Amino acid sequence: MTQHPIVVGISFKMYFGYAQTVDWCRHVARQLANHAAVLDGRVCVFVLPSFPAILPALEAFAGTPVAVGAQNLYHSANGAYTGEVSGAMLAEMGCRYVEVGHAERRRLFGENDDIVAAKAQLALDEGLTPVLCIGEADRGSADEAIEECRGQIDSALGAAGRDRPVVIAYEPHWAIGASAPASLDHIAAVCQGLRGHLRDNPSASVIYGGSAGPDLLTRLAGQVDGLFLGRFAHDPTAFVSVVNEAAALHHSSTTQGI
Ligand SMILES: O=C(CO)COP(=O)(O)O
């Protein structure tokens, strides 16, 4: 296998209840437990539930390659931070990913570049793969978006994340929670520009999020390393169909020698 794995992830944000999360995870675990492309690593899958549902999600996916992670961690290692959760505890539980810097965290919870950088560093320190969310606040050209996003990557990762596995989730703020994703041309141009920026880190993946759903990955035809899903994969069947698209895409590009 010469090609990068295709990454398919989902955050439930705060949409799902506890039982709903467990049902979704069990359904997807049944579908993916024997999925060839997931088993052999051509497609990497991660699921980010709310904190209280992390443990049953880990149990549901035990024995499968599907990774579980968290939507957030605190930006100090430990201490008197009532109500917060440390990266160390997430790693100890068996989480492999943690989301950092989502637009909603920035907008609603006041997270700034310094906090995002501290969280990314703590995630790396704990051996967690950060899902670093970046994206332009306002709709503009692809070149403007690349410029803004490069700054966010450099600020968040500095030198530390340059040779470590990281998932860069490109999520233009204006496409999150919208009725449709950004245009194919915009997504492709920005993700390609960011891939170029990260060319010295072979373990970095650049995936797209923001009203993504079934068919988008196929239509992007290899221009992104994967998708970060939200509402349009609340139906577990839709999530599995995106994983199947990823497998098909990987297969066709490998056979074509891309
Ligand atoms: O922010 C996102 C993923 O974390 C995208 O969410 P939506 O796909 O629901 O817009």
Short mmCIF file of all heavy atoms in Angstrom, two decimals, residues 9-13 15 48 99 102-104 133 169 171 175-178 209-213 228-234, ligand 1:
data_model
loop_
_atom_site.label_atom_id
_atom_site.label_comp_id
_atom_site.label_asym_id
_atom_site.label_seq_id
_atom_site.Cartn_x
_atom_site.Cartn_y
_atom_site.Cartn_z
N GLY A 9 -14.21 10.45 10.14
CA GLY A 9 -14.51 10.66 11.57
C GLY A 9 -15.85 11.34 11.74
O GLY A 9 -16.41 11.92 10.80
N ILE A 10 -16.34 11.24 12.96
CA ILE A 10 -17.60 11.95 13.30
C ILE A 10 -17.51 12.48 14.72
O ILE A 10 -16.92 11.84 15.60
CB ILE A 10 -18.84 11.01 13.17
CG1 ILE A 10 -20.13 11.79 13.46
CG2 ILE A 10 -18.73 9.78 14.06
CD1 ILE A 10 -21.41 11.04 13.09
N SER A 11 -18.06 13.67 14.92
CA SER A 11 -18.32 14.18 16.26
C SER A 11 -19.84 14.29 16.41
O SER A 11 -20.51 14.83 15.53
CB SER A 11 -17.70 15.56 16.44
OG SER A 11 -18.33 16.23 17.53
N PHE A 12 -20.34 13.78 17.54
CA PHE A 12 -21.79 13.91 17.78
C PHE A 12 -22.12 15.27 18.38
O PHE A 12 -23.29 15.55 18.65
CB PHE A 12 -22.25 12.80 18.73
CG PHE A 12 -22.04 11.41 18.20
CD1 PHE A 12 -21.37 10.46 18.93
CD2 PHE A 12 -22.53 11.06 16.96
CE1 PHE A 12 -21.19 9.17 18.44
CE2 PHE A 12 -22.36 9.78 16.45
CZ PHE A 12 -21.68 8.83 17.19
N LYS A 13 -21.08 16.09 18.62
CA LYS A 13 -21.29 17.36 19.34
C LYS A 13 -22.15 17.07 20.57
O LYS A 13 -21.89 16.07 21.26
CB LYS A 13 -21.90 18.41 18.42
CG LYS A 13 -21.09 18.60 17.13
CD LYS A 13 -21.43 19.85 16.39
CE LYS A 13 -20.60 19.94 15.11
NZ LYS A 13 -20.78 21.18 14.41
N TYR A 15 -25.52 16.60 20.28
CA TYR A 15 -26.82 16.24 19.71
C TYR A 15 -27.40 14.96 20.33
O TYR A 15 -28.60 14.84 20.47
CB TYR A 15 -26.66 15.97 18.20
CG TYR A 15 -26.56 17.20 17.34
CD1 TYR A 15 -25.37 17.51 16.68
CD2 TYR A 15 -27.65 18.04 17.14
CE1 TYR A 15 -25.27 18.61 15.85
CE2 TYR A 15 -27.56 19.15 16.32
CZ TYR A 15 -26.36 19.43 15.67
OH TYR A 15 -26.27 20.52 14.86
N LEU A 48 -16.19 10.48 17.95
CA LEU A 48 -16.00 11.38 19.10
C LEU A 48 -17.34 11.63 19.79
O LEU A 48 -18.09 12.54 19.41
CB LEU A 48 -15.40 12.71 18.64
CG LEU A 48 -14.15 12.66 17.74
CD1 LEU A 48 -13.65 14.08 17.44
CD2 LEU A 48 -13.04 11.84 18.39
N GLU A 99 -10.36 16.10 19.72
CA GLU A 99 -10.63 17.27 18.88
C GLU A 99 -10.12 18.53 19.59
O GLU A 99 -10.27 18.67 20.80
CB GLU A 99 -12.15 17.34 18.68
CG GLU A 99 -12.60 18.32 17.65
CD GLU A 99 -14.11 18.22 17.43
OE1 GLU A 99 -14.76 17.27 17.92
OE2 GLU A 99 -14.64 19.12 16.76
N HIS A 102 -12.28 23.42 17.73
CA HIS A 102 -13.46 23.52 16.86
C HIS A 102 -14.00 24.95 16.86
O HIS A 102 -13.93 25.66 17.88
CB HIS A 102 -14.54 22.54 17.33
CG HIS A 102 -15.66 22.41 16.34
ND1 HIS A 102 -16.70 23.29 16.29
CD2 HIS A 102 -15.86 21.52 15.34
CE1 HIS A 102 -17.53 22.95 15.30
NE2 HIS A 102 -17.03 21.88 14.70
N ALA A 103 -14.59 25.35 15.75
CA ALA A 103 -15.13 26.71 15.62
C ALA A 103 -16.11 27.04 16.74
O ALA A 103 -16.16 28.18 17.22
CB ALA A 103 -15.81 26.86 14.26
N GLU A 104 -16.89 26.03 17.16
CA GLU A 104 -17.86 26.29 18.24
C GLU A 104 -17.15 26.54 19.57
O GLU A 104 -17.61 27.33 20.39
CB GLU A 104 -18.85 25.10 18.35
CG GLU A 104 -19.81 25.10 17.18
CD GLU A 104 -20.30 23.72 16.76
OE1 GLU A 104 -20.14 22.75 17.51
OE2 GLU A 104 -20.83 23.63 15.63
N CYS A 133 -9.02 21.46 14.35
CA CYS A 133 -10.00 22.11 13.47
C CYS A 133 -9.51 23.51 13.12
O CYS A 133 -9.15 24.29 14.00
CB CYS A 133 -11.35 22.21 14.17
SG CYS A 133 -12.03 20.61 14.62
N ALA A 169 -8.54 19.10 10.38
CA ALA A 169 -9.92 19.12 9.88
C ALA A 169 -10.20 20.53 9.37
O ALA A 169 -10.38 21.47 10.17
CB ALA A 169 -10.88 18.74 11.00
N GLU A 171 -12.51 23.07 8.29
CA GLU A 171 -13.94 23.32 8.44
C GLU A 171 -14.20 24.82 8.32
O GLU A 171 -14.07 25.55 9.33
CB GLU A 171 -14.44 22.85 9.81
CG GLU A 171 -14.23 21.38 10.09
CD GLU A 171 -15.21 20.86 11.14
OE1 GLU A 171 -15.27 21.43 12.23
OE2 GLU A 171 -15.92 19.93 10.83
N ALA A 175 -19.59 26.96 6.71
CA ALA A 175 -20.16 25.72 6.16
C ALA A 175 -20.60 24.76 7.27
O ALA A 175 -21.20 23.73 6.99
CB ALA A 175 -19.15 25.02 5.25
N ILE A 176 -20.30 25.11 8.53
CA ILE A 176 -20.68 24.24 9.65
C ILE A 176 -22.15 24.51 9.99
O ILE A 176 -22.56 25.66 10.12
CB ILE A 176 -19.79 24.53 10.88
CG1 ILE A 176 -18.33 24.18 10.58
CG2 ILE A 176 -20.30 23.75 12.09
CD1 ILE A 176 -17.35 24.62 11.68
N GLY A 177 -22.93 23.44 10.12
CA GLY A 177 -24.34 23.61 10.47
C GLY A 177 -25.16 24.19 9.35
O GLY A 177 -26.29 24.65 9.58
N ALA A 178 -24.62 24.18 8.16
CA ALA A 178 -25.32 24.78 7.01
C ALA A 178 -26.16 23.71 6.29
O ALA A 178 -26.23 22.56 6.74
CB ALA A 178 -24.29 25.39 6.06
N GLY A 209 -14.57 19.07 6.81
CA GLY A 209 -15.83 19.01 7.56
C GLY A 209 -16.65 20.27 7.34
O GLY A 209 -16.11 21.33 7.02
N GLY A 210 -17.94 20.14 7.57
CA GLY A 210 -18.87 21.27 7.37
C GLY A 210 -19.99 20.82 6.45
O GLY A 210 -19.85 20.87 5.23
N SER A 211 -21.07 20.28 7.05
CA SER A 211 -22.23 19.81 6.27
C SER A 211 -21.84 18.72 5.27
O SER A 211 -22.41 18.63 4.19
CB SER A 211 -22.93 20.98 5.58
OG SER A 211 -23.27 21.97 6.53
N ALA A 212 -20.83 17.93 5.64
CA ALA A 212 -20.41 16.82 4.79
C ALA A 212 -21.35 15.63 5.00
O ALA A 212 -21.91 15.46 6.08
CB ALA A 212 -18.98 16.41 5.14
N GLY A 213 -21.49 14.83 3.96
CA GLY A 213 -22.36 13.64 4.06
C GLY A 213 -22.04 12.68 2.94
O GLY A 213 -21.03 12.83 2.24
N PHE A 228 -14.72 14.82 7.97
CA PHE A 228 -15.12 14.93 9.37
C PHE A 228 -16.62 15.22 9.36
O PHE A 228 -17.04 16.31 8.97
CB PHE A 228 -14.33 16.06 10.05
CG PHE A 228 -14.47 16.09 11.55
CD1 PHE A 228 -14.84 14.97 12.28
CD2 PHE A 228 -14.20 17.26 12.25
CE1 PHE A 228 -14.95 15.00 13.66
CE2 PHE A 228 -14.30 17.31 13.64
CZ PHE A 228 -14.68 16.18 14.33
N LEU A 229 -17.40 14.23 9.78
CA LEU A 229 -18.84 14.29 9.62
C LEU A 229 -19.55 14.81 10.86
O LEU A 229 -19.02 14.71 11.98
CB LEU A 229 -19.37 12.89 9.28
CG LEU A 229 -18.86 12.36 7.94
CD1 LEU A 229 -18.77 10.84 7.95
CD2 LEU A 229 -19.76 12.83 6.81
N GLY A 230 -20.74 15.32 10.64
CA GLY A 230 -21.60 15.78 11.73
C GLY A 230 -23.01 15.27 11.50
O GLY A 230 -23.22 14.06 11.35
N ARG A 231 -23.95 16.22 11.36
CA ARG A 231 -25.38 15.86 11.28
C ARG A 231 -25.70 14.84 10.20
O ARG A 231 -26.58 14.00 10.37
CB ARG A 231 -26.21 17.12 10.98
CG ARG A 231 -26.29 18.13 12.10
CD ARG A 231 -26.68 19.48 11.55
NE ARG A 231 -25.64 19.91 10.61
CZ ARG A 231 -25.87 20.58 9.49
NH1 ARG A 231 -27.10 20.92 9.16
NH2 ARG A 231 -24.87 20.92 8.69
N PHE A 232 -25.02 14.94 9.07
CA PHE A 232 -25.43 14.09 7.95
C PHE A 232 -24.92 12.65 8.07
O PHE A 232 -25.08 11.85 7.15
CB PHE A 232 -25.04 14.74 6.61
CG PHE A 232 -25.76 16.06 6.41
CD1 PHE A 232 -25.08 17.18 5.93
CD2 PHE A 232 -27.10 16.20 6.73
CE1 PHE A 232 -25.73 18.40 5.77
CE2 PHE A 232 -27.76 17.43 6.57
CZ PHE A 232 -27.07 18.53 6.10
N ALA A 233 -24.33 12.33 9.24
CA ALA A 233 -24.01 10.92 9.53
C ALA A 233 -24.63 10.50 10.87
O ALA A 233 -24.19 9.52 11.47
CB ALA A 233 -22.50 10.71 9.52
N HIS A 234 -25.64 11.24 11.32
CA HIS A 234 -26.34 10.81 12.53
C HIS A 234 -27.04 9.48 12.31
O HIS A 234 -27.24 8.70 13.23
CB HIS A 234 -27.34 11.87 12.98
CG HIS A 234 -26.70 13.04 13.67
ND1 HIS A 234 -27.40 14.11 14.15
CD2 HIS A 234 -25.38 13.29 13.96
CE1 HIS A 234 -26.56 14.98 14.72
NE2 HIS A 234 -25.33 14.50 14.61
O1 LIG B 1 -18.43 20.72 12.78
C1 LIG B 1 -18.63 19.68 12.18
C2 LIG B 1 -17.99 18.42 12.59
O2 LIG B 1 -17.44 18.55 13.85
C3 LIG B 1 -19.53 19.65 11.03
O3 LIG B 1 -20.84 19.57 11.50
P1 LIG B 1 -22.03 19.50 10.44
O4 LIG B 1 -21.64 18.46 9.42
O5 LIG B 1 -23.21 19.10 11.24
O6 LIG B 1 -22.13 20.85 9.80
#
